Amino acid sequence: MKKSIIWGVGGFAAGLIAMMVIIAVSAPGIMMNERESSYDFETSVAMLEESITVNGWKMPTVHNLQGTIERFGYDVLAVKVFEICHPDHAERILSQDDERIVSAMMPCRIAIYEKTDGKTYVSTMNTGLMGKLFGGLIADVMGVASAESEQIVSVLFE
């Protein structure tokens, strides 16, 4: 009996450690989406800007991270981060005290960047999955926002 308890506890601990390793290795691929654009950097940027507008979203800010880093004396490949917002979705969360905790993740962001392989990539956060972790209204709003964000970036993969 004592031996089986020790084996059981040991097996549980080994399983827990294995699960933690699997989560640590796969989390970046689960929480972030990265896909190669079908277009060069400048074309991808122009197409994304148009798609944001066509799909009824707003673009309060575009961060030119390459330009920012250059001002500090470093040279990196092209990177632009687009902050996009759908006021109707944002209001549903921001009007509720208990839901405002996710305001740190607002507005939604889409990044377009070049890599040393000469290709252009698009990166988004998996907001649908993030929303499910919160549940309730946050899950509903972030699920809709995630689906609409996917529609916005889909023009870059045709």
Side-chain angles (χ1 to χ4, degrees), residues 78-125:
V79 182
K80 286 194 177 182
V81 179
F82 300 80
E83 291 187 5
I84 66 171
C85 175
H86 196 294
D88 296 342
H89 302 328
E91 186 277 334
R92 289 183 64 202
I93 289 176
L94 296 176
S95 66
Q96 304 296 314
D97 286 344
D98 291 340
E99 315 304 359
R100 294 174 70 109
I101 190 169
V102 297
S103 61
M105 296 189 312
M106 297 170 71
C108 297
R109 289 174 177 79
I110 300 169
I112 296 179
Y113 48 91
E114 293 178 325
K115 287 188 176 183
T116 57
D117 63 6
K119 297 176 182 175
T120 299
Y121 293 85
V122 179
S123 171
T124 58
M125 187 183 308

Side-chain angles (χ1 to χ4, degrees), residues 19-117:
M19 183 177 70
M20 289 170 47
V21 168
I22 290 169
I23 290 171
V25 169
S26 62
I30 293 171
M31 299 311 292
M32 300 298 296
N33 301 313
E34 179 186 62
R35 290 168 281 178
E36 182 183 337
S37 175
S38 299
Y39 306 96
D40 64 36
F41 181 79
E42 292 302 326
T43 303
S44 295
V45 166
M47 290 178 71
L48 180 65
E49 288 174 341
E50 181 178 344
S51 185
I52 290 166
T53 302
V54 166
N55 282 281
W57 282 61
K58 309 300 180 204
M59 189 173 37
T61 305
V62 178
H63 300 277
N64 177 355
L65 298 185
Q66 180 185 35
T68 299
I69 296 301
E70 283 177 352
R71 288 196 305 270
F72 296 110
Y74 296 97
D75 185 30
V76 297
L77 294 173
V79 182
K80 286 194 177 182
V81 179
F82 300 80
E83 291 187 5
I84 66 171
C85 175
H86 196 294
D88 296 342
H89 302 328
E91 186 277 334
R92 289 183 64 202
I93 289 176
L94 296 176
S95 66
Q96 304 296 314
D97 286 344
D98 291 340
E99 315 304 359
R100 294 174 70 109
I101 190 169
V102 297
S103 61
M105 296 189 312
M106 297 170 71
C108 297
R109 289 174 177 79
I110 300 169
I112 296 179
Y113 48 91
E114 293 178 325
K115 287 188 176 183
T116 57
D117 63 6

